[in-house]
Amino acid sequence: DPTWPNAIDEIEEIMTQLQSFRARKFADTVSPCSNEASGPGRQNAAEWLRVGFHDMSTANTYFGIGGLDGSLQYELDNGENTGPGHRTTLEFMAPYVSPRSTLADLIALGVYTSVRSCGGPAVPIRVGRIDATGKGAPGVPQPQNSVATFKQQFDRMGFSVEEMIQVTACGHTLGGVHNTEFPDIVPAGTGLDGESGLDTSDAVFDNLVVTEYLSGETKNPLVVGPSIKIDKNSDFKVFNADGNQTMEALADAETFKSVCKTVLQKMIDVVPPSVKLTDPIVPYKVKPVNLQLTLINGGSTLQLTGFIRVKTTGLAQGSISSVSITYKNRRGTTDCGLSTCVVTSTVQGASQGFDDTFAFYPISANILASSGISSFTVTINNADGTKDIYDNNGNEYPVQDAIIFQSPQSCVLGSSGALTAVAAVRNDRLSQGAQVKVWYKTPQTNSPVPLLQSTTLDLKKGQCAGPYTLFNVDYTIEGGLAYEGYVDVINGDQSDSFKALTSVGGTCRAFANPAACVGGEDEGSGGTTAVTSVPTTTEALPTTTEPPVTTGPVTDPPVTSPPVTEPPTTTEPATTTTTPPPVPSHRPAVDGYVLVSCWTEGDGVRALAGNAYANDSMTLETCRDFCSNYVYWGTEYGRECYCGNTLAKSSGEAPLDECNMVCAGDASEYCGAGNRLELYSTTVTQPPTPTGTLTHEPTVGPYTLVGCWTEGSGDRALGQKATIDPDMTNEACAEFCSDFRYFGTEYGDECYCGSFLAGSSATAPLADCNMPCAGNEFEYCGASNRLELYINPNVTGGNPEQPAAAGDFVFVGCQTEGNGTRALTGAATATGTMTVEACAEFCADFTYFGTEYGSECYCGNTLAPSSLKAPAADCNMLCSGNELEYCGAGNRLSLYTKKPEELTEEDE
Ligand code: HEM
């Protein structure tokens, strides 16, 4: 294995994870080889291979300039790169450009991908190419050139005459000549869809281009036909340049493939001498993927998430029973406090490329923040009882915990490009400060590929939480491509890098209940904030337990712990402030919301039940921003913020002077009091409840509602595509995800797509999905960690999965049979073509159905009490009639139940 982390890591992933779980889908438009994804007569695989040649062929190896450098993106209109194929190829590759994958490396990878997709050899891929920033010299060989010119041109590229013949034959085994591009070679009306093949198997990487030429039977338009008269029969000129000697050697099919492997690698490895390429990529046997630490639990815990990817090529199914990581703490010892330093997991998904298959083992470890982590080793526990230990070539797999990108507290909005980046820095390293490097793309007028640039900013110090301190900065990414950006957070010689902004949410979540500061600059004062005594906002705290606050909040502010995350003045230490505290007031209006009154909490319920958070930098403005999707919001007890579209009936108006606590983050304004909300509403005339009712939409286009589902643990429930939009609706998400079997809206403005549902995602009460859509206040769009989940059963593909819904039924879970009795006793059938849908139809008149042992189907109106819940992974037999669905297992039912009536269409 390469030593991880490594310069090849990103390209290796794009190269190998082509399909299914965590697929990068780089081969989609060139698979199969005959795919004409850009239109009839246009084979994308052939276009990709030609792009590799055209980008390279202007190289001058004598001067050490040009070569495979992505300069083609700036040369599309120079007359040498005719036809639409170059542009569409570069447009496809553009989103894959990143700080760790240049366009030039992707073009090289495109040669491997297209050749392999067409049955050709695996061209070795090395990485490290550098992208040109403007056009290079001209010099792509043109069909009208003389043999002497061709020889000169290839000599300039570093190719001998033999290699010129070889590489041209290897290129011209795919695709053809197009009427639109060369009407004088392929006149209108000839060829199929305006394309005339260079050999008779133009979508197979074979040597017919050679044998047909040698036997005189070729129809290659660059050898025979109108090209001869106009002297554009370039393949004849090239192939015949040494009296057919090289072509005769290529007449052997195996020789052709091995020669092409060598010469195509030579083609993509033409780079200036200043570029140092890595060794060819060999996929890792064991590779950590997407590892991330996150500071949680008020700063007491580091959560480690990600996957261990294991290459399973050639292994028998089930030969690995589990994978463990064994980690060391920050001091490099294996003392992990009360818990062990070992985390074990079973497979969550599989993916495959052309030559390899991989299984993914999710990692989720809660590590004591005070002891931290420095490295780990991986143990593969084989089913035969043996173990294989991987230690990253003796280095162990490194994990630094000096600086951590805090994804939950960070946020980015695609529409405006507004980015808030938050990092946690270990308190013993505060003196080194913190920076963020923002990588962003801007459209270019002279290229179809946006330009990747970066800017480095200082992060501002914010609140301390246990052994870490949070830092943050706001930045606006111009150009409309914020989601294609990345951030690195940096602390001295340590960094947490390559955080894709696609995986950052649209809402910055407050860091809840920071623990007393340990070892930071605020130690001592940190302990006096008493923040730990404030209950978490998610639990419905009985409001009566809040201490009554009656007097003098101005002279004795309840919580004003420095530093707050957004202090009004950042440069001045609080101690130097000698000015008297400002006189607080009730703000009559805050950004489009007006003050309703002081308001009591409900009777045993929150007045506003939509969403909530609390922290010690609370101001009316931050609460308003947090609740901007809601009709009402209110601040309470100086530091709490609640949102809702309706007010609980049992809550009511109170005298304004009872709201007498100032805001924790701004002493000039009031933020309610104990059991008192400083209540704001969108307009004064707003009726107490919105007109129209908030509903769960039963159907959206071809999708039907499954219900409310949790996110997966460690991975997104729907992990293949995502977007965030301040105008999100279920309709918009359905359209965005139309190629996928599932879509789900979450947190009001987020949208996720997937062709299968993560196994760890489970059904949740419908009432959990209580956030209105950001773009439609009468439609629900999930909630925090809750998906409003929809399915279109007509879209199939992806991983084998347990369908979340079938007919009018939704999945309940994996269940055992009853003890001495069937779990479901209503009706039963068994067939060799069983599917979840077929069983749903068979049991249409019952409340429950379950599939078992791949082929059996049971119905019932009640479930035997002795039938017990089993782990979801137990139900692992594929349905006899559908390899992409699970149908229980031995003594295990994949159990489904009728949807609640309010969710079915008839009720609409
Ligand atoms: C003397 C050198 C070469 C000349 C004059 C030449 C010329 C041409 C011409 C005129 C076409 C037709 C383009 C169209 O109508 O779409 C073509 C197609 C193609 N060339 Fe070359 N070529 C040369 C070498 C190469 C090399 C070295 C490769 C790659 C290794 C290559 C790969 C291809 C491919 C894959 C196509 C098919 C494109 C498609 O179907 O869209 N060519 N070439």
Side-chain angles (χ1 to χ4, degrees), residues 46-47 50 53 150 167 171-172 174-178 181-182 234 238:
E47 291 178 350
R50 188 170 175 236
F53 177 59
F150 286 139
V167 76
H172 287 180
L174 298 183
V177 184
H178 294 84
E181 224 175 306
F182 292 98
S234 55
V238 170

Side-chain angles (χ1 to χ4, degrees), residues 41-54 56 82-85 140-145 150 153-154 164 166-182 185-186 195 198 222 232 234-235 238 264 267:
R42 289 189 50 199
Q43 277 179 46
N44 290 42
E47 291 178 350
W48 284 29
L49 179 55
R50 188 170 175 236
V51 161
F53 177 59
H54 278 228
M56 181 283 291
T82 47
V140 180
Q142 300 297 310
Q144 63 275 19
N145 296 356
F150 286 139
Q153 289 181 315
F154 277 88
M164 165 182 85
Q166 290 170 335
V167 76
T168 305
C170 295
H172 287 180
T173 180
L174 298 183
V177 184
H178 294 84
N179 163 259
T180 45
E181 224 175 306
F182 292 98
I185 301 177
V186 177
E195 184 199 12
L198 292 159
L222 297 179
K232 289 190 177 177
S234 55
D235 272 358
V238 170
L264 289 175
M267 175 176 97

